[in-house]
Amino acid sequence: QGQLVESGGGLVQAGGSLRLSCAASGRTYSSYAMAWFRQAPGKEREFVVVSGSTGTTSFSDSVKGRFTISRDNNKNTVYLQMNSLNPEDTAVYYCAAGPIATMSREYYEYWGQGTQVTVSS
């Protein structure tokens, strides 16, 4: 059974940076798409970025140019580098894995428990 564990969240001032990590275990993820979603209080969980198994990436417009995703298949770990953070980025960030690189959360089979990111103004 697959398991994803996020880490790296915290409190940061506007304009700062954070790097989130997602450690995957329980299966091989090299053929899976790895994605990040986020959920702010009172809002639905929204797509942030996905890295396909072939290395293709897709970003939401709200983070394009500020966030990058990378994955180390040897370590079964995916990273989310977040730069130029602003208070609107405050949310719980979730790592997800699935067979298809998509923005639709229903196609992801495995989810982490989430890590809180808070950006102060």
Side-chain angles (χ1 to χ4, degrees), residues 4-17:
L4 306 177
V5 178
E6 303 96 335
S7 61
L11 174 64
V12 63
Q13 288 187 332
S17 299

Side-chain angles (χ1 to χ4, degrees), residues 83-113:
N83 299 325
S84 301
L85 286 161
N86 59 62
E88 290 70 39
D89 296 314
T90 295
V92 177
Y93 283 71
Y94 297 91
C95 178
I100 301 172
T102 174
M103 296 185 291
S104 300
R105 59 181 186 264
E106 57 263 34
Y107 291 97
Y108 288 89
E109 298 179 2
Y110 305 106
W111 290 86
Q113 82 290 348

Side-chain angles (χ1 to χ4, degrees), residues 37-85:
F37 288 76
R38 67 186 182 185
Q39 188 167 17
K43 295 187 177 181
E44 290 193 357
R45 192 171 299 187
E46 66 173 6
F47 167 80
V48 176
V49 60
V50 61
S51 171
S53 61
T54 59
T56 57
T57 57
S58 180
F59 294 84
S60 70
D61 289 342
S62 62
V63 307
K64 198 172 295 182
R66 300 187 297 122
F67 291 12
T68 57
I69 187 171
S70 60
R71 55 194 295 173
D72 185 336
N73 287 330
N74 290 327
K75 295 182 178 180
N76 260 358
T77 302
V78 62
Y79 304 96
L80 179 65
Q81 178 66 44
M82 305 185 295
N83 299 325
S84 301
L85 286 161

